[in-house]
Amino acid sequence: MSTIEDVAKLAGVSKTTVSRVLNNHPYVAENKKALVHKAMEELLYVPNSTAQRLRKQTTQTIAVLIPRISNPFFSKMVEVMENIAADNGLQLVVCQTMYDKKRELVYLDLVKTKQIDGVILASLENDWNEVNDYTNFAPIIFCNEYDDRAQVPTVRLNQFEGAYIGTKYLIDKGYNKIAKCRGNNLSGLVTDRQRGFYHALDEAGLPFSEEWTFTGVSLVEDGRRVLREIIEMENRPNAVFTGSDEVAAGIISEAGRLDVKIPDELAVMGFDDQQIAGLVTPGLTTIHQPVDQIGKRSMEVMIDLLHGKGRMDEQLTLLPLHLVERGSV
Amino acid sequence: MSTIEDVAKLAGVSKTTVSRVLNNHPYVAENKKALVHKAMEELLYVPNSTAQRLRKQTTQTIAVLIPRISNPFFSKMVEVMENIAADNGLQLVVCQTMYDKKRELVYLDLVKTKQIDGVILASLENDWNEVNDYTNFAPIIFCNEYDDRAQVPTVRLNQFEGAYIGTKYLIDKGYNKIAKCRGNNLSGLVTDRQRGFYHALDEAGLPFSEEWTFTGVSLVEDGRRVLREIIEMENRPNAVFTGSDEVAAGIISEAGRLDVKIPDELAVMGFDDQQIAGLVTPGLTTIHQPVDQIGKRSMEVMIDLLHGKGRMDEQLTLLPLHLVERGSV
DNA sequence: ATGAAAGCGCTAACAA
DNA sequence: TTGTTAGCGCTTTCAT
């Protein structure tokens, strides 16, 4: 591999001049510029980006933390983010926490060791107190997930409202025994959804049984299990608020297998409006989250931060969500 | 940020000794080691990985090229890859070509500028001749996709056989007018699938009409379009080999909407065995590709290469595929 | 067992 | 407009 010095020698100029050509500096004579370019081609010269990084103290790399990329919501989000990153000459490192606190901290350490310029948190496993310190090392922003204590830019939806309108829709359709599902952690997002759910119930004066809360539910297979558990229940709910299209799809599919009528015997409310919502039978009535916009806006906020625009302290972007009717309710 | 020099001063030793402690060298007195550790903690010292990279001439980063991450086949593949990469202290940079030749070359340039230690090609847009030169800069391997001219390690399936058994299954079920879909490019994988498809047809003495080839088809929405076109046809096929579960799901969903009976009026053969295959109605009969294994094996081959094990010239891993019956045929 | 010094490849003051 | 020089932070000979 040839270096900037080889090019300088061959072109008969100094390293500085070569560097200037490389960085499109003004004040380089055209003839020297040509000489340098010729030398570069001759030597098949390519700048070593690691050396550039060391010198410039920047990596042109940002990390996005998600639970797992095979969740369609996140893969779509990452698709959008990566496209914008690429357009801006940035690399995107995908970090899957796999719902694990330790893995999350290992990824955050990348920031300490100067391996990345910024972090987009699209999920959060640890308590914010564990994470807060990392904000000293590089810009960290929230995307979709959030925490009230965090003084960092956040791009998200009103999850309280999302859960509220979903639940209210079920209630307005006459369902009065509504179960709900959630994963394992209780993040800002999950907490707000719970609040929205209960608020709709309270408003309508409907009861809620703890028996109707399913936890640790996030995959299609979990949805199948939930349906099987529901139909075995003594006091059986007639609707379920899933908080996830994957879970909802599992419920619907299993219902088809076991000949449980959707929505007559059980109404199913999804969340996300993933592609699958339009492919199951019946189609999934769900809360549409504008995942493209969330991903796009988040990456833009991050890029602004990297360019010194925008402030690191609180700055909230709230995106709209809405209900999509398809037939499962 | 404190550097190795700060630590050395505070501990009263040389930079060299600190570096030795950092790298678990033998021949460091226990008491000095303790001194160094204490100084590190006191200063909240973290090594700067860019400096390490420059010195060691390695990045601990590998890139994976895919069309787009939101294709469930690839998101699952990347999930597996990233987990193994993380376990081995490697970062995974996701590179979406978006089916674009230029973007693919931009990503391959990462290798030239020493930004990554290796490339996993899970798709290929350019002709291999365009790509071959890059093998001089870093290890490049094929995963799933492949090209006969490439002398690089390849982890893949027998796509000829996959297409053959899928098509033969349709024929054995009595379907005799079989359409097929493909995307836009004609890679090694796609070419082999075509050969397998035609081989089964020839063997059975079945005719094929060019009218029954749909190209530029890769998304759910494309599948919907294909179904609409098929039912308008004069000489209408009674089965379709899609080459993609997403396309197949689109066909099935649109058939449901338009009240076309699957498989009676149209049999649908998928490819991949994505999650969605078990969620549509009827379930998708499809060719199972062991995506977990492909991803896992590819990353292992790459890691071996990085460790100097394994040879860069031809080395083929062929993984098994099989048909899964579900009801769409 | 430890340290001095060279240098990985590049950029940016500063000087000329 | 160009070049000299001093590092960015780390690892690794080579001495001792």
Side-chain angles (χ1 to χ4, degrees):
Chain A
M1 285 305 298
S2 53
T3 72
I4 202 172
E5 186 145 21
D6 303 326
V7 176
K9 273 184 191 148
L10 184 59
V13 300
S14 73
K15 290 190 332 186
T16 313
T17 301
V18 178
S19 174
R20 288 204 178 103
V21 172
L22 228 40
N23 294 282
N24 297 312
H25 259 260
Y27 310 134
V28 184
E30 283 303 327
N31 62 324
K32 302 231 170 188
K33 200 183 280 185
L35 243 42
V36 169
H37 279 304
K38 212 176 74 189
M40 283 179 174
E41 277 178 35
E42 203 160 315
L43 295 170
L44 299 174
Y45 170 78
V46 189
N48 180 316
S49 70
T50 303
Q52 291 178 314
R53 289 180 178 195
L54 179 60
R55 182 59 231 234
K56 293 187 176 164
Q57 301 286 26
T58 173
T59 64
Q60 306 298 339
T61 303
I62 86 117
V64 53
L65 267 66
I66 57 175
R68 57 187 170 85
I69 189 69
S70 64
N71 175 324
F73 178 78
F74 290 106
S75 70
K76 188 68 195 172
M77 195 176 84
V78 169
E79 174 186 319
V80 175
M81 286 180 173
E82 200 275 335
N83 282 329
I84 297 174
D87 290 346
N88 286 271
L90 297 172
Q91 288 175 46
L92 190 66
V93 172
V94 170
C95 304
Q96 303 181 100
T97 65
M98 305 308 282
Y99 308 99
D100 186 278
K101 289 178 198 242
K102 277 189 195 153
R103 284 191 61 146
E104 181 167 271
L105 293 178
V106 169
Y107 285 124
L108 284 169
D109 278 335
L110 293 177
V111 128
K112 283 197 182 175
T113 55
K114 300 281 175 217
Q115 304 196 45
I116 47 178
D117 290 343
V119 177
I120 299 179
L121 279 181
S123 63
L124 184 66
E125 298 301 325
N126 288 277
D127 188 87
W128 177 253
N129 292 327
E130 295 287 319
V131 176
N132 190 44
D133 281 349
Y134 290 91
T135 56
N136 296 320
F137 295 93
I140 295 183
I141 69 172
F142 265 125
C143 163
N144 190 49
E145 187 54 87
Y146 53 96
D147 189 291
D148 289 339
R149 289 164 294 175
Q151 299 290 308
V152 301
T154 300
V155 178
R156 67 171 179 92
L157 310 171
N158 189 331
Q159 299 289 347
F160 174 90
E161 190 193 351
Y164 174 78
I165 61 179
T167 311
K168 184 153 190 327
Y169 184 85
L170 287 168
I171 295 169
D172 289 348
K173 285 272 187 175
Y175 300 97
N176 55 6
K177 297 162 76 175
I178 308 176
K180 80 172 158 50
C181 309
R182 65 169 175 89
N184 275 317
N185 74 349
L186 271 176
S187 61
L189 181 152
V190 174
T191 307
D192 273 359
R193 279 200 194 158
Q194 304 230 74
R195 287 179 41 235
F197 176 80
Y198 288 123
H199 184 70
L201 252 48
D202 287 349
E203 209 177 57
L206 286 181
F208 184 73
S209 157
E210 263 317 312
E211 184 197 15
W212 295 341
T213 295
F214 297 88
T215 58
V217 176
S218 57
L219 304 172
V220 167
E221 198 42 58
D222 298 326
R224 295 189 185 280
R225 197 191 74 225
V226 166
L227 182 100
R228 291 194 298 268
E229 287 184 25
I230 284 179
I231 60 178
E232 292 298 330
M233 281 181 168
E234 193 85 2
N235 183 16
R236 189 168 150 178
N238 49 23
V240 55
F241 181 84
T242 61
S244 151
D245 279 356
E246 287 182 277
V247 171
I251 292 176
I252 286 181
S253 173
E254 195 70 3
R257 264 181 18 94
L258 302 178
D259 217 29
V260 174
K261 297 282 173 283
I262 307 282
D264 297 347
E265 292 181 62
L266 184 75
V268 181
M269 175 65 65
F271 214 106
D272 287 352
D273 195 19
Q274 294 176 8
Q275 176 151 273
I276 194 160
L279 292 172
V280 290
T281 311
L284 200 44
T285 293
T286 190
I287 309 296
H288 176 82
Q289 302 201 79
V291 59
D292 296 59
Q293 284 182 57
I294 300 178
K296 178 164 181 287
R297 194 78 200 89
S298 300
M299 189 52 84
E300 288 169 352
V301 167
M302 174 56 75
I303 289 173
D304 278 354
L305 245 28
L306 260 30
H307 290 350
K309 302 174 202 167
R311 315 198 328 268
M312 252 319 282
D313 53 340
E314 220 161 350
Q315 168 199 341
L316 177 63
T317 307
L318 262 187
L319 265 20
L321 36 66
H322 62 266
L323 189 140
V324 178
E325 294 180 301
R326 285 213 183 80
S328 67
V329 174
Chain B
M1 283 306 298
S2 52
T3 73
I4 202 172
E5 185 145 20
D6 302 328
V7 175
K9 272 186 191 147
L10 184 58
V13 300
S14 72
K15 288 186 344 184
T16 315
T17 301
V18 177
S19 174
R20 288 204 178 101
V21 171
L22 228 41
N23 294 282
N24 297 313
H25 259 261
Y27 310 134
V28 184
E30 282 304 326
N31 62 324
K32 301 229 172 192
K33 199 182 282 186
L35 242 41
V36 169
H37 279 304
K38 211 177 76 190
M40 283 179 173
E41 277 179 34
E42 205 160 313
L43 295 169
L44 299 174
Y45 171 76
V46 189
N48 180 317
S49 69
T50 304
Q52 292 178 315
R53 289 180 178 196
L54 179 60
R55 184 58 230 236
K56 294 186 176 164
Q57 302 285 25
T58 172
T59 64
Q60 307 298 339
T61 303
I62 84 118
V64 54
L65 267 65
I66 58 177
R68 56 187 170 87
I69 189 68
S70 65
N71 176 323
F73 178 79
F74 290 106
S75 70
K76 188 68 194 173
M77 195 177 84
V78 169
E79 174 185 320
V80 175
M81 286 180 173
E82 199 275 334
N83 282 329
I84 298 174
D87 290 346
N88 286 270
L90 297 172
Q91 287 174 46
L92 191 66
V93 172
V94 170
C95 304
Q96 302 182 100
T97 66
M98 303 308 281
Y99 308 99
D100 185 278
K101 289 180 199 238
K102 277 191 196 151
R103 284 191 61 145
E104 182 168 89
L105 294 178
V106 170
Y107 285 124
L108 284 168
D109 278 335
L110 293 177
V111 127
K112 282 198 182 173
T113 54
K114 301 281 175 218
Q115 304 196 47
I116 48 178
D117 291 344
V119 177
I120 299 178
L121 279 181
S123 65
L124 184 67
E125 298 300 325
N126 288 278
D127 187 87
W128 177 252
N129 292 327
E130 294 288 321
V131 176
N132 190 45
D133 280 349
Y134 290 92
T135 57
N136 297 319
F137 295 92
I140 295 183
I141 69 173
F142 265 125
C143 163
N144 190 50
E145 188 54 84
Y146 53 97
D147 189 292
D148 289 338
R149 289 163 293 175
Q151 299 290 306
V152 301
T154 300
V155 178
R156 67 171 180 91
L157 310 170
N158 188 330
Q159 300 287 348
F160 174 89
E161 190 193 350
Y164 174 77
I165 62 179
T167 311
K168 185 157 190 324
Y169 184 85
L170 286 168
I171 295 169
D172 288 348
K173 285 273 186 174
Y175 299 97
N176 55 6
K177 296 163 77 174
I178 308 177
K180 80 170 160 49
C181 309
R182 65 169 176 89
N184 275 317
N185 74 348
L186 273 175
S187 61
L189 180 153
V190 174
T191 308
D192 273 0
R193 278 200 194 158
Q194 303 230 72
R195 288 179 42 235
F197 175 80
Y198 288 123
H199 184 69
L201 252 48
D202 287 348
E203 209 178 58
L206 286 182
F208 183 74
S209 157
E210 264 316 312
E211 184 198 13
W212 295 341
T213 295
F214 298 89
T215 57
V217 175
S218 56
L219 304 172
V220 166
E221 198 42 56
D222 299 326
R224 295 189 186 280
R225 197 191 73 225
V226 165
L227 182 100
R228 290 194 299 267
E229 288 185 23
I230 283 179
I231 59 178
E232 293 297 329
M233 280 182 168
E234 194 86 359
N235 183 17
R236 187 167 150 177
N238 49 24
V240 54
F241 181 83
T242 62
S244 151
D245 279 356
E246 287 182 276
V247 171
I251 292 176
I252 286 181
S253 173
E254 194 69 3
R257 261 179 22 93
L258 301 178
D259 217 31
V260 175
K261 296 280 172 285
I262 307 283
D264 297 346
E265 292 180 62
L266 185 74
V268 181
M269 175 66 65
F271 214 107
D272 288 351
D273 196 19
Q274 294 176 8
Q275 176 151 273
I276 193 158
L279 292 172
V280 289
T281 311
L284 200 44
T285 293
T286 191
I287 310 296
H288 176 83
Q289 302 201 81
V291 59
D292 296 59
Q293 284 181 59
I294 300 178
K296 179 164 181 287
R297 192 82 199 86
S298 300
M299 189 51 83
E300 287 168 352
V301 167
M302 176 54 76
I303 289 172
D304 278 354
L305 245 30
L306 261 29
H307 291 350
K309 303 174 199 165
R311 315 199 326 268
M312 254 317 283
D313 53 339
E314 222 162 350
Q315 167 200 338
L316 178 62
T317 307
L318 262 187
L319 265 19
L321 37 67
H322 62 266
L323 190 141
V324 178
E325 293 179 303
R326 284 212 183 82
S328 67
V329 174

